[in-house]
């Protein structure tokens, strides 16, 4: 397969994808109800984008092309309501969160599609361990070269995106000590992590052809990078976020990314360089492990400070752009969360401290998703 041409799209438009958990309502473990839920959704006759994920007990919902925070929220909310209504008919629950608190990957079943079967054959048990749940945000780009430049500019803010969305402290019944343990599963895959520093589509095409020649890449889907180009959509796709516990939070994170993109595109505070990636893995780990209290190392001046300070500083810089995009209220809500250290991972731990039951934590996640 040749690298497809990059389709031009309207700059700063958004598309949001959320991977969701389907659970039973007696012990709140994952339940193999994906096929039944999709069947009921189809009967509604709506033009909703809801599809299976790699294992049973997962679905992915996606917006169409959005122009604003309000548009993202409206589309997500409509699909959310439809999914909840169908789930109620099946007597199952739906929730956000980057991991299910106590499911065991060995009990999962691969959803039967040619691609998922191929991934299972290639990756073995890792395919079932990929029963994790993320938010992906697509950002429209006018042309391919601009898209690649934006990809590398946004890569400096990967820790921000991780900390703001972190909602996966529990894995297989254990508190991992991480705010986002979900990304530990992603790191296991080859071709995960950062994209190579290539800033023209012609050069990227040469890189893609070289990877194809090795036999380990067949399409862009084989790259599990934190941010990757999606040439068929004319976007770049930010992929590091956990699925938040609410639609409101998911829309706010999309608004933050849109406002940040406008700042980077119009003000161009700097140009990408390879040395920006010297601290990339360290900053990423700190965000996963400690959330807002992680250490952020500035790759340009080597300053160390807390990730919360770095996020607040970023929110200050992008505020005029958030106002222009009518995303200022969404960004202000994120600011309040950072100032009070009240993220989703902390909320989940608080619920467990109160109930001493991970099943009740998942039950509360389902109630929060509905709200």
């Amino acid at each position: 397969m040749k690298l497809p041409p990059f389709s031009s799209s309207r700059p700063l438009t958004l598309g949001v994808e959320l991977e969701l958990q389907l659970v039973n309502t007696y012990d709140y473990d994952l339940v193999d109800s994906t096929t039944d839920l999709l069947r009921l959704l189809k009967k509604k006759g709506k033009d909703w984008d809801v599809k299976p994920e790699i294992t049973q007990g997962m679905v992915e919902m996606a917006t169409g092309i959005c122009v604003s925070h309000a548009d993202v929220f409206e589309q997500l909310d409509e699909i959310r309501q439809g999914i909840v209504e169908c789930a109620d008919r099946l007597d199952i629950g739906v929730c956000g969160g980057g991991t299910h608190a106590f499911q065991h990957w060995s009990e999962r079943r691969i959803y039967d599609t040619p691609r998922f079967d191929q991934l299972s054959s290639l990756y073995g048990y890792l395919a079932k361990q990929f029963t994790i749940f993320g938010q992906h945000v697509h950002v429209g780009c006018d042309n391919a070269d601009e898209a690649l430049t934006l990809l590398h500019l946004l890569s400096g803010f990967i820790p921000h995106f991780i900390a703001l969305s972190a909602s996966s402290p529990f894995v297989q019944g254990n508190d991992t000590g991480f705010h986002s343990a979900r990304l530990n599963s992603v790191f296991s895959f080859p071709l995960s992590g950062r994209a190579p520093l290539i800033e023209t589509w012609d050069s990227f095409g040469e890189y893609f052809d070289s990877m194809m020649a090795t036999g380990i890449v067949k399409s862009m889907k084989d790259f599990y990078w934190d941010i990757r180009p999606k040439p068929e959509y004319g976007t770049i796709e930010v992929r590091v976020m956990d699925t938040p516990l609410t639609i409101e939070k998911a829309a706010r994170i999309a608004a933050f990314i849109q406002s940040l993109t406008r700042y980077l595109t119009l003000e161009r505070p700097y140009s990408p360089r390879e040395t920006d990636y010297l601290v990339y893995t360290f900053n990423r780990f700190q965000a996963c492990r400690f959330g807002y209290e992680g250490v952020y190392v500035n790759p340009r001046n080597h300053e160390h400070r807390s990730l919360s300070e770095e996020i607040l500083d970023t929110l200050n810089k992008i505020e005029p752009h958030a106002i222009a995009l009518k995303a200022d209220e969404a960004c202000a809500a994120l600011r309040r969360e950072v100032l009070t250290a009240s993220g989703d991972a902390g909320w989940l731990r608080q619920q467990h401290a109160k109930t001493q039951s991970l099943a009740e934590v998942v039950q509360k996640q389902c109630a929060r998703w509905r709200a």
Side-chain angles (χ1 to χ4, degrees), residues 214-245:
T214 67
I216 62 174
V217 167
K218 293 182 173 61
S219 76
M220 282 298 302
K221 289 184 177 181
D222 294 320
F223 295 111
Y224 288 89
W225 295 329
D226 296 341
I227 312 179
R228 70 183 179 190
K230 289 288 284 186
E232 64 271 34
Y233 295 162
T235 66
I236 59 165
E237 179 188 14
V238 184
R239 300 166 43 82
V240 293
M241 289 82 69
D242 288 355
T243 297
L245 300 180

Side-chain angles (χ1 to χ4, degrees), residues 64-286:
I65 299 172
C66 303
V67 297
S68 66
H69 165 257
D71 195 7
V72 171
F73 176 78
E74 182 179 351
Q75 291 195 35
L76 289 177
D77 189 42
E78 179 185 349
I79 302 170
R80 183 262 304 268
Q81 291 182 45
I83 290 175
V84 168
E85 288 170 8
C86 292
D88 285 347
R89 292 179 59 187
L90 296 169
D91 193 26
I92 62 174
V94 182
C95 63
T99 56
H100 184 278
F102 59 88
Q103 68 93 15
H104 288 271
W105 63 263
S106 60
E107 298 172 2
R108 305 279 64 84
R109 293 170 54 202
I110 300 295
Y111 193 91
D112 187 17
T113 70
R115 174 162 174 79
F116 293 156
D117 289 341
Q118 183 264 330
L119 290 175
S120 178
S121 175
L122 175 62
Y123 292 120
Y125 79 100
L126 290 178
K128 290 187 176 183
Q129 285 199 344
F130 216 45
T131 305
I132 52 178
F133 309 86
Q135 173 178 1
H136 302 164
V137 175
H138 292 261
V139 182
C141 300
D142 180 57
N143 63 74
D145 291 356
E146 283 291 317
L148 290 174
T149 298
L150 178 61
L151 183 158
H152 293 292
L153 291 175
L154 283 176
S155 290
F157 298 90
I158 286 295
H160 307 52
F161 306 148
I162 292 171
L164 286 167
S165 67
S167 61
S168 52
F170 300 110
V171 173
Q172 296 198 119
N174 298 295
D175 188 330
T176 63
F178 279 70
H179 285 240
S180 175
R182 164 185 162 270
L183 283 173
N184 292 330
S185 296
V186 180
F187 297 162
S188 301
F189 283 76
L191 304 179
S192 62
R194 52 158 289 199
L197 183 54
I198 299 172
E199 293 187 75
T200 69
W201 198 245
D202 287 343
S203 297
F204 190 85
E206 295 173 3
Y207 168 81
F208 185 83
D209 290 343
S210 297
M211 293 298 290
M212 284 277 291
T214 67
I216 62 174
V217 167
K218 293 182 173 61
S219 76
M220 282 298 302
K221 289 184 177 181
D222 294 320
F223 295 111
Y224 288 89
W225 295 329
D226 296 341
I227 312 179
R228 70 183 179 190
K230 289 288 284 186
E232 64 271 34
Y233 295 162
T235 66
I236 59 165
E237 179 188 14
V238 184
R239 300 166 43 82
V240 293
M241 289 82 69
D242 288 355
T243 297
L245 300 180
T246 64
I247 290 293
E248 290 81 0
K249 180 73 172 290
R252 289 167 186 161
I253 289 171
F256 173 71
I257 291 174
Q258 185 188 38
S259 302
L260 180 59
T261 297
R262 191 177 192 272
Y263 161 73
L264 293 171
T265 302
L266 295 184
E267 297 195 23
R268 285 294 171 91
Y270 46 79
S271 298
R273 62 184 191 185
E274 186 61 38
T275 51
D276 291 339
Y277 286 103
L278 289 175
V279 293
Y280 184 85
T281 304
F282 175 85
N283 285 341
R284 191 154 150 263
F285 169 80
Q286 286 284 318

Side-chain angles (χ1 to χ4, degrees), residues 264-368:
L264 293 171
T265 302
L266 295 184
E267 297 195 23
R268 285 294 171 91
Y270 46 79
S271 298
R273 62 184 191 185
E274 186 61 38
T275 51
D276 291 339
Y277 286 103
L278 289 175
V279 293
Y280 184 85
T281 304
F282 175 85
N283 285 341
R284 191 154 150 263
F285 169 80
Q286 286 284 318
C288 289
R289 176 68 174 86
F290 301 109
Y292 298 136
E293 298 311 308
V295 174
Y296 177 84
V297 180
N298 186 307
R300 302 247 165 179
N301 61 20
H302 305 158
E303 178 187 7
H304 291 220
R305 59 176 171 174
S306 72
L307 190 48
S308 61
E309 292 176 293
E310 173 63 24
I311 294 173
L312 292 171
D313 185 51
T314 300
L315 285 166
N316 289 337
K317 290 176 181 176
I318 69 172
E319 185 173 18
H321 302 277
I323 292 170
L325 293 166
K326 298 182 179 179
D328 46 317
E329 290 185 11
C331 289
L334 294 178
R335 180 192 300 276
R336 290 192 294 272
E337 184 175 302
V338 176
L339 287 169
T340 57
S342 54
D344 285 352
W347 184 88
L348 290 167
R349 286 191 167 107
Q350 289 170 7
Q351 303 314 305
H352 186 239
K354 292 176 183 176
T355 65
Q356 295 299 304
S357 166
L358 288 175
E360 289 191 46
V361 171
V362 179
Q363 183 182 29
K364 290 179 181 294
Q365 285 176 246
C366 292
R368 192 166 186 186

Side-chain angles (χ1 to χ4, degrees), residues 29-102:
D29 200 354
L30 291 177
V31 63
D32 294 347
S33 295
T34 301
T35 300
D36 292 336
L37 180 65
L38 294 176
R39 173 176 50 80
L40 288 183
L41 283 166
K42 187 175 182 180
K43 287 183 178 180
K44 283 186 170 288
K46 301 288 188 178
D47 188 24
W48 293 334
D49 186 355
V50 184
K51 50 184 172 283
E53 263 299 333
I54 190 164
T55 62
Q56 290 275 1
M58 307 176 67
V59 294
E60 179 186 87
M61 59 182 280
T63 70
I65 299 172
C66 303
V67 297
S68 66
H69 165 257
D71 195 7
V72 171
F73 176 78
E74 182 179 351
Q75 291 195 35
L76 289 177
D77 189 42
E78 179 185 349
I79 302 170
R80 183 262 304 268
Q81 291 182 45
I83 290 175
V84 168
E85 288 170 8
C86 292
D88 285 347
R89 292 179 59 187
L90 296 169
D91 193 26
I92 62 174
V94 182
C95 63
T99 56
H100 184 278
F102 59 88

